[in-house]
Structures are given as structure tokens and as C-alpha cells.
Amino acid sequence: NAPLRSAAAIVLLALVSTFAVVLPTSASAGTAPAARSSSADRRQVATISLLPPIAQVGSTPASSRAAQTVITATFRPARAGRPVVLTRFHRGDWRPVDHTRLSKSGAVEFTAPTRMGGRPVSYRVTALAYQGLSEHNTGVASSTQWGDPGFVDEFSGSALDGRWSHRIQFYNPWGGRACSKGSPDATGVGAGALTLSVLADPARTDQCTPYDEFGAPLQPVTGPFTYRLNANVSTQESADFTYGVAAARMKFQRDRGQHASFWLQPRGLLKYGTTPWGAEIDVVEWYGSDERRGGMTSTVYRPTPEGERVAIGSDFGDPDQFLAGRSDAWWKNYHVFSVEWTPTEYVFRIDGHETWRTSEGISHHPQFLILSMLSSDYELPEHGDESVIDEHSSVDWVQFWEGQH
């Protein structure tokens, strides 16, 4: 393994690190004192995994090709706090890119450029000598190992293309939306983004009383409410995948009373019903800002043979922990929400940072994409002023990569 350039390492680590480490470049530069060998040292194992470009925070639409890739690594035995350096291969040498410390589980994650000068980048991760363990490297991985996405839409035109279809264009009391329906009027494409909206239905001048799925007034009785049009589009008839990564770069509405979502459902789904196969995979649902309750969830719904759905997952508690800083907000900047789906687990991430993983409810069936902004009956009382119904979220791009499992 080629060594790091010590000068570059000093600059990077001294500026932004709480630990000072210099990796030697050659014998003439001196060698680091060898860590005393131990049985744990001899058993060191390191793995590296690169995901597609699924990290891209920003206030305006941008090309998905400019997103950063995600590098994860694990080291065994685990040593919480062990210094770790991400390096890239450049002109015959390994150069430092970023650093952090290992978690209790021995895991670490980085985001870094997918291409430099238009070329793929080779990365590896180095765990530095620590608590009796000698320096140890992962293998090498290419930033473009996932290849091109199997599906991508940058929403660069002035209308949705033919791969998208509009869902559930009728009022749906048995689905919990007696007061709302999907409509093409609630979507728009322009300035490089898809706008998902909730709008008042101009064709309905009467008012709606929400009902539950059993045909009874929602309890406690609330309303009446203005009838609404919702954005609800999918690739059900055109594109799906089995295992891989799906990601969407989204910016949400601020207010409650509706929720914006990126989710997956299985191919062969009965037109508006359930299936005994696959799963509903809610990559993200955003219900609006509310300090008391949070407002973001990731959920998997596993179907049962009886046609019921078992929910796995819950809200994030404090979703703001995944924001980029104090000035960031879910309605100010775009963030990338993704799921990595393998035959054994789902891993959910925001801009590459893991938020939740589960091995329950795994689908082994092709799944298609859905983007929506829905106003379910139960959340209508949280909206407030019924005289102003005009809510919007935006999707900059959406894509999926199949395979790599």
C-alpha cells in the first residue's frame, strides 16, 4: 500500500481534527513506532462499501451527477474513538480527504466526490494505530462501481414525461381521503424541479366531513373541510427494480395538514388495493414542522396473508439532527432521502447519513417509485386556516440503481 503524503495529512488533520496524526511517506521520513502486536491486532478485519451519489444539500436544483458518493467502512475489533482517515488515490499516491472517529460498532461513514476532473475516484479508509492496534487499511473501492442508474428523472422539461402516471384520481373515503383526490393539476414541472402540491378543488364549492374506512364520521368529529387536490404520481406502469438503492432529492412544505412522501410499492399491485407480496416502503414522509412531535418518518408495511398491513418503523423523534447546520431547514434546502434494499435488510439514509435499518418486512418483489403530497383526513385539523390551501414541496431528481447485493 502506498503511504500518505505527510505534509497533506498534517495540514488536513491539524486544521480540523481534535487528534494529531502524521502518516509517514517513506523510510527517509522516518517510520511510525510499531504498535505492540496482540491477538486482537492480528485479527483486524476491515471492509469498505461505496454507495451511489446520494448526498447533495443545497437550496436550488442541481444535476444529480454533482451529488457526492457515500463511503462506509467497518473495522474489527471495534474501538470507539479510533481515528480514521478517508484517502483517495491521485497520481500514484494516497491523499487524505476527510477524517472522523469510529463509532461503538466500529463503523464510519463519509461523503466525497463521485468524480474529479470527470474521472472516477478510488477510495480507501485507514484506521490509525490506537490502543494496541496497528494501522490498518480497507481494500480499495471505485466511486462509480454502481454504474449508471437504471432510472433517473431530473425534471428538466416543462411537464412530466410518459414514465409517470397520476394515481387515485377520485375521492377515497375507504382509503382515509374522503376530502382529497389525486389530480394532474396538483403537479407541475419547471425550473429543474417537480412541484408537488395540495390545492383547493375549484370544482367543489361544498364542504367535506371526513370519514374513517368504515364509513363513520372521523372521531372526534371535525370539519367541515375544503375539498382538496393532491399530487400523487408513480412509475407503476413503466419502471421498477429489485434490490439496490432508490433516492430522491426533495425540499418540503413547512406546514402541517398534509405530508410529502417518497415511497415504493410492489409491481402487480391491484389497482388501488393491497397485495400478499412485496411491501410498501416509505423512504420518507414529512408531515410538517412541529417542535412537540417532530414530523418525519420512515416505515415499512409488510402485508399479511389476510390482506392486512403490519407497520415497521416510527418517526425520527428529532429529524433536525440530520440537518446540515443551524441555518438549514427541511423547507429551505434540498436533501437526498434514500433506501438501500438488499435481500436481507433495508438501510435508510439522509444525505448518506444512516437514520434507520431493519431486517423485517423485506420485499423480494420488484418495486416502483411514488412521489406524492397527500392530505389524509386525519391530518386536516392540523392545517389551520381553511381559507388558504396552497401547499408545495419540490423534487429536484429521483433515481434508482439496481444490483450490488
Side-chain angles (χ1 to χ4, degrees):
N1 293 326
L4 295 170
R5 291 183 182 274
S6 58
I10 292 172
V11 172
L12 173 70
L13 298 178
L15 283 175
V16 293
S17 178
T18 58
F19 56 89
V21 179
V22 179
L23 300 182
T25 61
S26 66
S28 62
T31 57
R36 192 163 35 180
S37 179
S38 67
S39 59
D41 184 61
R42 291 190 294 271
R43 294 197 307 270
Q44 285 195 81
V45 177
T47 62
I48 186 172
S49 176
L50 267 67
L51 290 163
I54 54 171
Q56 192 178 33
V57 182
S59 60
T60 59
S63 170
S64 63
R65 291 180 63 83
Q68 292 196 312
T69 197
V70 175
I71 302 105
T72 64
T74 58
F75 290 86
R76 297 288 184 271
R79 291 287 191 273
R82 186 179 185 181
V84 178
V85 181
L86 172 69
T87 63
R88 67 181 177 91
F89 193 71
H90 181 67
R91 294 183 178 178
D93 210 350
W94 287 98
R95 303 192 178 194
V97 176
D98 200 356
H99 75 280
T100 187
R101 292 179 182 267
L102 288 184
S103 66
K104 291 180 181 179
S105 65
V108 66
E109 60 187 23
F110 297 97
T111 58
T114 308
R115 293 176 177 81
M116 300 192 71
R119 297 175 178 272
V121 185
S122 293
Y123 289 108
R124 78 176 184 189
V125 180
T126 301
L128 304 182
Y130 187 71
Q131 293 184 350
L133 296 175
S134 62
E135 177 185 310
H136 195 72
N137 295 313
T138 66
V140 179
S142 171
S143 62
T144 57
Q145 66 184 37
W146 281 79
D148 293 330
F151 175 95
V152 60
D153 198 336
E154 302 266 0
F155 304 111
S156 56
S158 58
L160 281 172
D161 65 36
R163 294 175 295 176
W164 297 95
S165 59
H166 295 272
R167 308 177 72 240
I168 314 181
Q169 298 180 61
F170 51 83
Y171 289 99
N172 186 18
W174 58 91
R177 298 189 186 98
C179 301
S180 62
K181 68 176 182 178
S183 171
D185 293 340
T187 65
V189 178
L194 166 65
T195 300
L196 307 172
S197 300
V198 171
L199 308 171
D201 185 351
R204 299 294 295 261
T205 58
D206 53 334
Q207 298 288 294
C208 176
T209 299
Y211 287 83
D212 63 24
E213 64 269 29
F214 304 106
L218 197 66
Q219 298 296 326
V221 176
T222 56
F225 297 103
T226 301
Y227 282 93
R228 288 156 161 81
L229 304 179
N230 290 177
N232 193 354
V233 297
S234 82
T235 63
Q236 181 173 1
E237 306 299 330
S238 65
D240 52 39
F241 72 110
T242 306
Y243 311 132
V245 175
R249 188 174 189 245
M250 304 181 70
K251 179 165 59 176
F252 298 128
Q253 86 287 354
R254 182 168 187 168
D255 294 333
R256 285 185 171 264
Q258 54 277 310
H259 60 283
S261 306
F262 170 44
W263 44 308
L264 315 177
Q265 284 196 328
R267 181 201 296 174
L269 179 75
L270 301 178
K271 193 63 176 176
Y272 303 112
T274 60
T275 72
W277 58 81
E280 178 178 311
I281 307 166
D282 295 346
V283 181
V284 64
E285 293 182 290
W286 168 253
Y287 288 86
S289 176
D290 187 325
E291 293 182 2
R292 293 179 295 107
R293 292 188 295 173
M296 188 177 288
T297 66
S298 291
T299 312
V300 175
Y301 291 92
R302 173 177 59 82
T304 67
E306 295 75 28
E308 301 297 324
R309 299 191 308 164
V310 177
I312 304 157
S314 63
D315 66 63
F316 284 45
D318 176 22
D320 290 1
Q321 66 184 296
F322 300 107
L323 290 172
R326 289 181 176 272
S327 62
D328 194 8
W330 303 113
W331 52 90
K332 289 182 179 179
N333 286 318
Y334 287 97
H335 294 268
V336 180
F337 301 89
S338 66
V339 61
E340 180 186 2
W341 165 30
T342 78
T344 59
E345 68 177 352
Y346 304 109
V347 184
F348 297 84
R349 294 180 173 90
I350 300 177
D351 291 309
H353 302 297
E354 182 178 329
T355 58
W356 178 52
R357 69 172 60 207
T358 182
S359 58
E360 297 185 67
I362 303 301
S363 171
H364 304 289
H365 196 78
Q367 306 269 148
F368 60 85
L369 309 176
I370 306 174
L371 297 166
S372 61
M373 177 93 153
L374 305 177
S375 47
S376 298
D377 290 355
Y378 67 83
E379 59 190 325
L380 295 182
E382 301 186 58
H383 181 264
D385 188 357
E386 283 293 290
S387 67
V388 180
I389 301 171
D390 192 15
E391 300 288 346
H392 311 280
S393 291
S394 298
V395 185
D396 178 24
W397 52 255
V398 62
Q399 49 194 326
F400 64 67
W401 296 260
E402 192 164 10
Q404 297 286 324
H405 56 79

